[in-house]
Amino acid sequence: MNEEKPVTEPEPEDWRAWRKARRRELIERRRSLETDDLKQRSAAVDRWLAEGFGPVAGHTVGFCWPFAAEPDPRFAVRRWREGGSHAALPLVVAPRTPLEFREWWPGAAMERGVYDIPYPVGTPVCIPEVALVPVNGFDRNGYRLGYGGGYFDRTLASYGQRPLCIGLGFEIAWMDTIFPREHDIPFDFMVTEAGIYQRVDGRLVAVDPADAQAAASRRLR
């Protein structure tokens, strides 16, 4: 994890405009990675998922089809499906409403939705026990900068029992703070090419895979 630094910039008067500008900058930074560099970083993220989250196998896993040079979670999802998991992809049903997760498997019928991202058609609706969520940026307190629609926060808030939330990103996405609002929900873990971070006492701290395994097991009992 990057060395912790104090927040050096004042809270913006217009936090929406500030997030929009930071989001654009971070996405461009990620998309500018060389192809081989991007593949290596994504492969490292996948290795940490394999080493740290074996307890996910057998549980329903919600994930996002990779978009705009995000880490690719499909290898991890395949392993967990081989271990008995069901996989699900999100669908935007309507603006400012929770996402609907629909079960997915290789060969399931798909259509294109928001941002031209595919989603399953005619498969069962389900509630994930584990959510793998890409980030554009993330801060030392475990808060995520997404795409600005607020869909994941609404979705998580709508569940009676919150899924185990694992953010996926690269080290270039670190931020001092996203200046979280009341509706923002922090994640349990962040996984980057450098390792696994767990939110402990309100802060992300680096943990080894064995500690991540134990913590995930406790959450998924």
Side-chain angles (χ1 to χ4, degrees):
M1 176 174 172
N2 291 357
E3 182 181 353
E4 184 174 315
K5 298 178 181 178
V7 178
T8 56
E9 57 184 313
E11 184 162 349
E13 292 185 9
D14 186 342
W15 62 270
R16 289 186 177 86
W18 181 87
R19 286 190 181 184
K20 183 177 181 180
R22 293 292 285 125
R23 180 182 302 113
R24 183 169 55 246
E25 172 191 332
L26 289 163
I27 292 173
E28 181 56 34
R29 185 185 300 175
R30 187 177 71 232
R31 297 186 79 159
S32 68
L33 294 171
E34 296 290 337
T35 300
D36 287 345
D37 186 16
L38 179 63
K39 288 181 179 178
Q40 290 172 8
R41 290 175 189 247
S42 190
V45 170
D46 181 65
R47 286 195 298 272
W48 290 115
L49 288 173
E51 293 182 21
F53 295 96
V56 169
H59 295 273
T60 300
V61 182
F63 74 105
C64 297
W65 207 261
F67 170 73
E70 295 167 347
D72 191 340
R74 290 175 293 182
F75 303 101
V77 169
R78 181 179 63 189
R79 285 193 301 272
W80 291 326
R81 289 187 69 253
E82 290 171 351
S85 291
H86 293 281
L89 288 169
L91 168 65
V92 175
V93 179
R96 296 182 294 279
T97 63
L99 297 165
E100 180 178 273
F101 277 87
R102 296 183 179 178
E103 190 173 354
W104 172 86
W105 55 84
M110 305 274 272
E111 291 185 359
R112 298 276 175 173
V114 175
Y115 298 124
D116 205 33
I117 298 173
Y119 66 90
V121 179
T123 65
V125 174
C126 54
I127 295 179
E129 298 167 275
V130 179
L132 294 183
V133 186
V135 306
N136 293 317
F138 64 100
D139 68 18
R140 65 185 186 280
N141 299 116
Y143 289 96
R144 161 189 180 262
L145 182 66
Y147 287 95
Y151 287 103
F152 270 102
D153 290 316
R154 291 190 193 93
T155 304
L156 295 175
S158 72
Y159 294 151
Q161 181 172 347
R162 210 180 89 181
L164 176 70
C165 295
I166 305 170
L168 305 180
F170 299 130
E171 288 288 306
I172 57 175
W174 275 104
M175 305 170 67
D176 281 332
T177 179
I178 71 163
F179 296 107
R181 305 291 104 178
E182 185 176 343
H183 64 270
D184 289 309
I185 297 175
F187 282 10
D188 302 297
F189 292 93
M190 272 297 313
V191 180
T192 74
E193 73 274 24
I196 302 170
Y197 306 99
Q198 183 182 356
R199 192 171 191 263
V200 180
D201 296 329
R203 298 274 182 162
L204 286 182
V205 296
V207 295
D208 63 33
D211 289 334
Q213 293 260 15
S217 293
R218 289 193 295 270
R219 274 295 310 276
L220 293 170
R221 284 177 185 164

